[in-house]
Amino acid sequence: MKDIADISATMTELGKRARAAAAQLAFASAEAKRAALISAADAVWARRGEIIAANARDLEFGRDKGLSPAMMDRLMLDEARIQGIVDGLRTVAEQGDPVGEILAEWDMPSGLHIQRVRTPLGVIGVIYESRPNVTADAGALCLKSGNAVILRGGSESFHSSGAIHACLVEGLRAANLPEDAIQLVPTRDRAAVSELLTMTDYVDVIVPRGGKGLVGLVQREARVPVFAHLEGIVHIYIDKAADPEKALRVVLNAKTRRTGICGAAECLLIHKDIADGLGADLVRALIEAGVEVRAEGLSGSLPATEADWGKEHLDMIISARVVEDVDAAIAHIRHYGSNHTDCVITEDDAVAARFFERLDSAILMHNASTQFADGGEFGMGAEIGIATGKMHARGPVGAAQLTSFKYLVRGNGTTRA
Amino acid sequence: MKDIADISATMTELGKRARAAAAQLAFASAEAKRAALISAADAVWARRGEIIAANARDLEFGRDKGLSPAMMDRLMLDEARIQGIVDGLRTVAEQGDPVGEILAEWDMPSGLHIQRVRTPLGVIGVIYESRPNVTADAGALCLKSGNAVILRGGSESFHSSGAIHACLVEGLRAANLPEDAIQLVPTRDRAAVSELLTMTDYVDVIVPRGGKGLVGLVQREARVPVFAHLEGIVHIYIDKAADPEKALRVVLNAKTRRTGICGAAECLLIHKDIADGLGADLVRALIEAGVEVRAEGLSGSLPATEADWGKEHLDMIISARVVEDVDAAIAHIRHYGSNHTDCVITEDDAVAARFFERLDSAILMHNASTQFADGGEFGMGAEIGIATGKMHARGPVGAAQLTSFKYLVRGNGTTRA
């Protein structure tokens, strides 16, 4: 284990190299970036034996460390999962290139022609936990958007991430792009994370990928902007004008399709006029589907307690509460929500409009499953995560959201009066 | 003078009120916001006697404190300047309302219809120095964009800002908008600034308006995002393919029209092939116009020293240097620039394209005066400042740049497979 002074020097060196690579990448051609990703995909497939061998070392380390079966599963790579990584790289390769896109242009009476053009952010730090595939996903999205990236994987996936990273570097080399465009922190020492979070000269934004513990730590300690969400406390309000069939379909999908993702429903708010009818039907259907319903004003599996409001269950559990009307639902969501994704089920357009207008979650939905909260389902291609901040990237963060812009102004010897 | 515990409690109370007002303002009608600004403009004009009397108290305080003539001038209000404030309020009132604007919309194969819609940021803290008119300008732009604002004026303009603020509140009241939408910090104590910079629960973004000292302090101490630029170290590169007449016209305008603004040119970079011709003519014209030229590789008023590169003169002084070619100019700007505004003078489109592509200043100009770096000249209406960060607002920050967005997703009982 290296000492802290070494770590600091190592990270500064990584930062300098990333900054230099970013300056080159900012005007790398779309074709070169595409070619690098295709070559990286080829390399991952060609070197899958090597990757699986590296993964075996990580699995052994994980077993010795006593990782839970869920964590061991997240860590594990086999040919099918490596095929997934290859497909992911190819998908990002074939997406449109966001850099240089003209976002707006106009003429001024002074004679100036003004364009607003997409540019990369610069250097992105990505901090993730046990899934080694994030190495490829995050590396690819950052490269596509013209950013240099410093990847800091979980200590459990150290060897797997290293093997995948070697393939990304092979892709960069094949396309004549700077190898420092995608760097992997070469130590398991946790001091490297603290360094990365405070390297304001070399890092423009941090993206944490992982659980609430990791994201909270990053949000507290980072001295650079963070694109993230801490929790997805997703609410569904069932209005008195809800279509019962749509409500049942959407709620069951939103809760049970996958319970561990940030767009999974965590709390039902039910209009008092339909509590005994549709409300009771919803609770029954959820319980039949194996969901524990912690209810207030309804008979559920269990009575709800204060701790159930604003709770991200991430499991086959849902909180449910009877509310006075849409305004009470809005008030509940403002108080207990996380500004991630919230949904209204109603056939009354005025109620939907009020819900859309008076809430400010990154994603608001009407008569649709909250499980659609996903960059792919939004048509953005791959995503690096979902952000709930007000600044810059918000909602699903894909390649286009990893960019900034600049103004290009053209005159003809034009001077200001 | 209150003690620190009082200040902290006072600021927290301001923050809570601002947050509550912001929740209301987010869906205030465009007409109500417009009416509030028109009423505020009427009130400022009707109460101009009161404002001038308050200003007299500030001027007396300033004289006692020994403020420089320049600072006293910035502080002073007369009927003409109050007319300027009234005009500014009316201009913002008549601008388009950014909130609710649909930035993009599309359909997905799943059947979802997705809209990306502009929303306010929330609560903005504005910290400024001696100019009391910022109270009206910043208050108006924040209100127009649906944000609540906490204004913290310079201690020198305490009474003037208070009198103007009273008129803004009168406008809010007349339009039935929450009076807490525009609050003024009610103390001169500097501890209030530190509080404002770290109130992460109540403040979404800080905009500092003032000199490098203030902006630097805010950037170092703020725990919330800051929209600002530290310096405008504006470069003009004169290419060997420059049109001499355009070059002379643009350079003289960019340096001498107003020397104290952030878009004023501070450094000329001249291609070696034209150093003795156009380069010498430019230096001569600048010296004739009263500009001190600190030159390297050219004969100027004085020889340049290392301290002249990356120097924001904000005066009738310009640095000038002969460079090898456009790439050397780009390298100089990357090293010494401030990412604010930089310009190329050339008739060679390939050179202009290279300059535009390889630099990442917030504003890049071709054959146009850098004094156009201004929200009004960009067609954005009034501006609260110019930002050089990569996140969110960049370049001139007008009402539209003081917003965020949310996604509105409409389905028809749509579930995810």
Side-chain angles (χ1 to χ4, degrees), chain A residues 8 28 35 46 189 198 243 287 301:
Chain A
S8 181
D189 196 314
T198 52
D243 177 294
I287 293 173
S301 322

Side-chain angles (χ1 to χ4, degrees), chain B residues 190-268:
Chain B
R190 297 208 59 178
V193 173
S194 305
E195 285 291 327
L196 195 55
L197 295 178
T198 52
M199 282 165 47
T200 51
D201 284 347
Y202 304 116
V203 177
D204 294 293
V205 57
I206 292 282
V207 181
R209 286 286 305 266
K212 194 177 161 183
L214 173 67
V215 176
L217 171 95
V218 167
Q219 289 183 333
R220 276 192 311 278
E221 294 197 3
R223 293 295 295 155
V224 298
V226 175
F227 292 173
H229 69 274
L230 189 61
E231 292 184 294
I233 303 167
V234 173
H235 294 81
I236 303 181
Y237 166 60
I238 317 290
D239 186 49
K240 68 177 173 183
D243 175 295
E245 193 274 322
K246 290 181 196 170
L248 281 157
R249 192 151 31 111
V250 166
V251 167
L252 282 171
N253 185 264
K255 178 69 254 183
T256 67
R257 176 184 162 274
R258 281 180 65 191
T259 56
I261 66 173
C262 57
E266 304 293 6
C267 182
L268 279 188

Side-chain angles (χ1 to χ4, degrees), chain B residues 107-244:
Chain B
D107 292 297
M108 290 301 296
S110 59
L112 295 183
H113 179 74
I114 302 180
Q115 289 182 322
R116 189 173 162 167
V117 172
R118 242 190 236 290
T119 58
L121 285 170
V123 178
I124 298 178
V126 181
I127 301 173
Y128 50 105
E129 296 187 319
S130 50
R131 292 185 200 271
N133 62 305
V134 176
T135 310
D137 294 354
L141 275 172
C142 291
L143 177 63
K144 189 75 183 188
S145 47
N147 296 291
V149 61
I150 300 174
L151 299 164
R152 209 292 179 172
S155 59
E156 301 83 5
S157 59
F158 187 73
H159 298 291
S160 318
S161 294
I164 295 168
H165 175 249
C167 300
L168 300 177
V169 171
E170 196 176 317
L172 291 167
R173 214 181 289 132
N176 263 319
L177 290 175
E179 292 183 24
D180 293 332
I182 305 176
Q183 295 182 94
L184 184 67
V185 174
T187 165
R188 277 173 165 156
D189 196 313
R190 297 208 59 178
V193 173
S194 305
E195 285 291 327
L196 195 55
L197 295 178
T198 52
M199 282 165 47
T200 51
D201 284 347
Y202 304 116
V203 177
D204 294 293
V205 57
I206 292 282
V207 181
R209 286 286 305 266
K212 194 177 161 183
L214 173 67
V215 176
L217 171 95
V218 167
Q219 289 183 333
R220 276 192 311 278
E221 294 197 3
R223 293 295 295 155
V224 298
V226 175
F227 292 173
H229 69 274
L230 189 61
E231 292 184 294
I233 303 167
V234 173
H235 294 81
I236 303 181
Y237 166 60
I238 317 290
D239 186 49
K240 68 177 173 183
D243 175 295

Side-chain angles (χ1 to χ4, degrees), chain A residues 19 23-24 26-27 106 108 110 112 114-116 118-122 204-205 219-223 225 227 246 249-250 253 257-258 261 334 347 353 355-369 371-374 376-380 389-396 401 403-417, chain B residues 19 23-24 26-27 106 108 110 112 114-116 118-122 204-205 219-223 225 227 246 249-250 253 257-258 261 334 347 353 355-369 371-374 376-380 389-396 401 403-417:
Chain A
R19 187 57 84 204
Q24 298 294 310
F27 52 86
W106 63 95
M108 290 300 296
S110 59
L112 295 184
I114 303 180
Q115 288 181 323
R116 188 174 163 168
R118 239 189 240 290
T119 58
L121 285 170
D204 294 293
V205 56
Q219 288 183 333
R220 276 192 311 279
E221 294 196 3
R223 294 295 295 154
F227 292 173
K246 288 182 197 170
R249 188 149 36 110
V250 166
N253 184 264
R257 178 183 161 273
R258 282 178 65 191
I261 66 172
R334 274 183 192 275
E347 298 302 303
F355 192 88
F356 274 10
E357 188 183 69
R358 302 203 169 207
L359 284 172
D360 192 34
S361 313
I363 303 171
L364 290 167
M365 294 192 160
H366 177 201
N367 290 349
S369 170
Q371 299 248 348
F372 282 113
D374 173 276
E377 295 296 330
F378 272 55
M380 294 174 180
K390 289 284 186 76
M391 300 294 119
H392 204 89
R394 195 166 197 235
Q401 284 70 41
T403 62
S404 183
F405 60 84
K406 60 186 173 185
Y407 291 99
L408 303 181
V409 182
R410 292 175 174 88
N412 185 27
T414 317
T415 56
R416 187 166 171 191
Chain B
R19 187 58 83 204
Q24 297 295 309
F27 52 86
W106 63 95
M108 290 301 296
S110 59
L112 295 183
I114 302 180
Q115 289 182 322
R116 189 173 162 167
R118 242 190 236 290
T119 58
L121 285 170
D204 294 293
V205 57
Q219 289 183 333
R220 276 192 311 278
E221 294 197 3
R223 293 295 295 155
F227 292 173
K246 290 181 196 170
R249 192 151 31 111
V250 166
N253 185 264
R257 176 184 162 274
R258 281 180 65 191
I261 66 173
R334 273 184 192 273
E347 298 301 303
F355 192 88
F356 274 10
E357 187 183 69
R358 302 203 168 208
L359 283 171
D360 192 34
S361 313
I363 302 171
L364 291 166
M365 294 193 160
H366 176 201
N367 290 348
S369 171
Q371 299 249 349
F372 282 113
D374 173 274
E377 296 296 331
F378 272 54
M380 294 175 181
K390 289 284 186 75
M391 299 296 119
H392 206 88
R394 195 167 197 232
Q401 285 71 41
T403 62
S404 183
F405 59 84
K406 60 185 173 186
Y407 292 98
L408 303 182
V409 181
R410 292 175 175 88
N412 186 28
T414 318
T415 56
R416 186 166 172 191

Side-chain angles (χ1 to χ4, degrees), chain A residues 42-192:
Chain A
D42 292 344
V44 168
W45 190 245
R47 294 166 70 171
R48 61 191 181 281
E50 222 174 291
I51 295 169
I52 288 174
N55 187 245
R57 292 177 64 188
D58 286 335
L59 289 171
E60 195 185 322
F61 175 83
R63 258 188 306 271
D64 291 349
K65 220 178 142 184
L67 291 189
S68 69
M71 285 190 74
M72 288 294 283
D73 179 63
R74 258 174 253 156
L75 182 54
M76 190 272 292
L77 291 177
D78 56 17
E79 279 219 352
R81 288 190 177 178
I82 289 177
Q83 183 65 58
I85 291 173
V86 170
D87 293 346
L89 287 167
R90 289 184 190 281
T91 301
V92 176
E94 301 306 341
Q95 274 180 229
D97 192 290
V99 178
E101 187 192 342
I102 297 168
L103 299 169
E105 59 184 321
W106 63 95
D107 292 296
M108 290 300 296
S110 59
L112 295 184
H113 180 73
I114 303 180
Q115 288 181 323
R116 188 174 163 168
V117 172
R118 239 189 240 290
T119 58
L121 285 170
V123 177
I124 298 177
V126 181
I127 301 174
Y128 51 106
E129 296 188 318
S130 51
R131 292 184 200 273
N133 62 306
V134 177
T135 310
D137 294 354
L141 275 172
C142 291
L143 177 64
K144 189 74 183 189
S145 47
N147 296 291
V149 62
I150 301 175
L151 299 164
R152 209 293 179 175
S155 60
E156 300 83 5
S157 58
F158 188 73
H159 298 290
S160 319
S161 294
I164 295 169
H165 176 250
C167 300
L168 300 177
V169 171
E170 196 176 318
L172 291 167
R173 213 180 290 132
N176 261 318
L177 290 175
E179 291 183 25
D180 293 332
I182 305 175
Q183 296 181 93
L184 185 68
V185 174
T187 164
R188 278 174 165 157
D189 196 314
R190 297 207 60 177

Side-chain angles (χ1 to χ4, degrees), chain B residues 276-298:
Chain B
D276 295 336
L278 176 56
D281 293 344
L282 280 164
V283 171
R284 205 174 309 116
L286 283 162
I287 292 173
E288 271 170 24
V291 178
E292 180 182 309
V293 182
R294 302 182 181 174
E296 180 188 280
L298 296 151

